[in-house]
Amino acid sequence: MSQYTLQFQCLAENAYCLKDSPKKDFYLYIVLQGGAAPKNNKRIPLNISLVIDRSGSMAGDKLNYVKKAVDFVIDNLSAEDILSILQYDDLVEVLSASAKVTNKAELHRLVQKIQDRNSTNLSGGMLEGYNQVALTLQKAFVNRVLLLSDGLANVGIVDPAQLQQIAQKKFREESIGLSTFGVGADFNEILMTNLSEYGGANYYFIDKPDQIPQIFAQELEGLLAVVAQNTHLKVKFPAKQVRCEKVYGYPFTVSQHEISINFNDVFAEEKKAVLIKFEVLGTLQEGLHFEADLEYDDVVNIKKIQEKASLSIPISPDEKSYTAGVNPIVIEQTALFVANDLFEEAIRHADKHDMEAAKKTIAQIKTYLDTYFKIIVPGEELKKQYQQILDYEQQLEQMVYMSSTDYLMAQKTSRSESYKLRKKK
């Protein structure tokens, strides 16, 4: 394997399965990681659209820092890169149509003219961003829309499900990714997270305006160090023996016997992972067999890579062998992903101001994790997740005294930290 291709592992929770067990689930953990960024190779070019919210609430520091961030992006692009810049309030305006970056001074001048104005036509800005990237779409480029907003979509398409479907369609059919940047307390973080999830890219929560340039720089740093594109995973499972119950970590589709997950671009040294939960159907008469196929474009060595991993899980000859066959990595990741999923449930309860339900869910997570801590030594990820849960438990006691703004910011911060953990960031 080339040092620039992805490292790929497919792990089962146990080397064995039980013929007849009260435990009716079985987990697979699949993780991939980008290699180190090449030092002397020419990087893959970018085709990006910066879509900037300039509604009235962006006045002052927010818009000033956005301009600094956009100036930073312009300065770090080359003449091989393609850029478009849009601004939106209730109307959408293309400041600079999608084209190669040849006149940076003119681009900077256009950015400085951006001023705050009216409402938030998020859908209009997003759609025009996609349109601009599509006008200059290049398969050999990183094609992405970067959408920033500090408010609720209140003009154009405002239904979250419709907006999510648009992002998913553009990603699946045109391979255009969508990264979202939410600023302050008033934007819908569930919408912005889902847009990035189904849009095949990243979500960022920016709680202070002065963080905007730094967060933009983080996204750009990744885009400038892409080592794999069109990264797609298929997992075949024995449908007569197990049913796919849930996939943690990334959106997926499932057919009768195959799970499909699209990871899109992978940056240098970036880790992406999924945990798959299967329901065991009845008594097993024979072992389980899984196949994982990973396909991607190695953009450094300019070739298509196809990797396969097969897992055959025989029925355990005895209880002792089954106990010894436990994979501690998968056990820990199971605890992490399940706890993370329950944590999201607790946050949703708090969104509805149902603090009792939120506290009950937190107590459920603590009991669940305490059980795992008896059989494994938790790593840094799981320790961090547990600490987040303890911190949130304390925060729930204070929320009744918070202002509406502080309440919203606390919820957004908790969601952002939860998102980072499951995305391995």
Side-chain angles (χ1 to χ4, degrees):
M1 184 187 296
S2 163
Q3 63 175 314
Y4 301 125
T5 54
L6 305 181
Q7 302 299 311
F8 170 48
Q9 279 188 302
C10 181
L11 305 172
E13 67 168 56
N14 200 303
Y16 298 98
C17 54
L18 291 175
K19 183 176 182 179
D20 190 13
S21 169
K23 184 179 182 296
K24 292 301 180 184
D25 53 44
F26 194 88
Y27 289 91
L28 294 186
Y29 176 62
I30 300 174
V31 59
L32 50 95
Q33 184 162 6
K39 294 182 179 179
N40 301 317
N41 287 55
K42 185 178 179 181
R43 68 167 174 82
I44 188 169
L46 308 182
N47 175 20
I48 59 176
S49 182
L50 296 174
V51 182
I52 301 161
D53 183 347
R54 59 110 167 228
S55 57
S57 57
M58 287 290 291
D61 281 349
K62 289 181 184 176
L63 202 52
N64 289 334
Y65 281 113
V66 167
K67 291 180 182 181
K68 288 183 180 180
V70 176
D71 282 336
F72 175 85
V73 172
I74 293 168
D75 287 337
N76 282 273
L77 297 181
S78 74
E80 294 299 309
D81 296 313
I82 297 172
L83 176 68
S84 58
I85 304 173
L86 288 70
Q87 61 181 7
Y88 70 95
D89 50 347
D90 52 328
L91 302 175
V92 179
E93 182 181 356
V94 178
L95 295 179
S96 180
S98 193
K100 288 196 172 182
V101 181
T102 56
N103 189 341
K104 293 188 176 184
E106 174 61 13
L107 291 172
H108 285 307
R109 187 187 69 80
L110 291 170
V111 169
Q112 291 313 304
K113 291 173 62 179
I114 299 174
Q115 295 183 337
D116 60 280
R117 230 171 56 168
N118 301 320
S119 305
T120 308
N121 186 359
L122 185 145
S123 64
M126 183 179 78
L127 285 167
E128 185 55 40
Y130 278 124
N131 180 55
Q132 289 296 316
V133 173
L135 288 172
T136 50
L137 191 67
Q138 301 280 346
K139 287 187 177 180
F141 283 43
V142 175
N143 299 289
R144 186 165 297 188
V145 176
L146 277 57
L147 172 70
L148 181 139
S149 181
D150 80 326
L152 299 174
N154 51 26
V155 179
I157 300 170
V158 297
D159 177 49
Q162 279 187 270
L163 291 168
Q164 180 178 303
Q165 286 171 6
I166 292 168
Q168 187 174 44
K169 184 179 176 68
K170 293 291 185 181
F171 176 47
R172 285 182 177 174
E173 297 180 5
E174 299 181 41
S175 297
I176 301 175
L178 173 68
S179 286
T180 59
F181 303 76
V183 186
D186 293 328
F187 72 94
N188 182 340
E189 75 270 26
I190 297 175
L191 169 63
M192 295 287 266
T193 303
N194 286 344
L195 287 177
S196 67
E197 287 268 86
Y198 289 89
N202 303 307
Y203 161 71
Y204 300 92
F205 168 52
I206 307 172
D207 59 347
K208 298 176 182 177
D210 61 6
Q211 293 178 334
I212 293 171
Q214 173 191 341
I215 299 296
F216 265 69
Q218 183 180 336
E219 171 78 355
L220 185 63
E221 181 182 1
L223 293 176
L224 294 173
V226 171
V227 295
Q229 285 192 291
N230 304 314
T231 308
H232 193 222
L233 175 71
K234 290 184 178 180
V235 180
K236 296 178 182 177
F237 60 91
K240 291 183 179 180
Q241 297 169 288
V242 297
R243 178 182 70 87
C244 176
E245 186 173 332
K246 189 177 181 67
V247 176
Y248 299 87
Y250 282 85
F252 69 101
T253 58
V254 61
S255 64
Q256 185 179 1
H257 65 277
E258 186 175 86
I259 302 160
S260 181
I261 301 162
N262 196 339
F263 291 114
N264 199 19
D265 303 325
V266 181
F267 307 150
E269 301 181 5
E270 181 185 24
K271 182 183 287 187
K272 295 191 175 187
V274 291
L275 179 77
I276 306 175
K277 180 181 181 180
F278 294 98
E279 177 192 0
V280 178
L281 304 174
T283 300
L284 295 176
Q285 300 301 323
E286 57 185 12
L288 301 172
H289 183 76
F290 302 92
E291 292 183 2
D293 296 327
L294 183 69
E295 184 177 282
Y296 61 93
D297 295 321
D298 178 350
V299 301
V300 178
N301 297 304
I302 320 297
K303 60 182 179 180
K304 177 76 76 175
I305 300 291
Q306 292 178 315
E307 293 189 64
K308 293 183 180 293
S310 295
L311 286 175
S312 291
I313 318 295
I315 292 176
S316 178
D318 50 56
E319 189 70 35
K320 184 177 179 181
S321 298
Y322 181 78
T323 302
V326 169
N327 187 319
I329 295 174
V330 183
I331 296 301
E332 176 162 10
Q333 291 300 320
T334 299
L336 176 70
F337 277 103
V338 173
N340 186 277
D341 196 54
L342 287 169
F343 187 32
E344 290 284 324
E345 182 182 321
I347 297 171
R348 287 194 296 273
H349 286 311
D351 284 340
K352 300 174 183 177
H353 297 270
D354 189 346
M355 296 309 178
E356 288 308 309
K359 290 175 184 178
K360 285 181 181 178
T361 305
I362 291 296
Q364 179 186 350
I365 304 170
K366 289 169 64 179
T367 300
Y368 172 80
L369 288 180
D370 287 343
T371 301
Y372 273 90
F373 292 161
K374 292 176 183 177
I375 58 175
I376 61 170
V377 178
E380 290 306 311
E381 275 187 316
L382 195 52
K383 286 180 182 177
K384 189 173 182 180
Q385 178 70 87
Y386 194 65
Q387 188 60 51
Q388 281 183 13
I389 289 159
L390 295 178
D391 292 345
Y392 193 70
E393 183 179 39
Q394 291 184 340
Q395 196 172 63
L396 286 172
E397 299 296 335
Q398 304 301 318
M399 281 184 170
V400 291
Y401 306 109
M402 290 181 180
S403 67
S404 59
T405 297
D406 288 344
Y407 188 94
L408 290 171
M409 291 295 281
Q411 288 289 89
K412 285 174 170 57
T413 298
S414 297
R415 267 207 178 86
S416 176
E417 293 305 310
S418 175
Y419 171 86
K420 289 176 186 176
L421 264 177
R422 71 175 173 273
K423 294 297 184 181
K424 309 295 182 185
K425 296 184 181 296

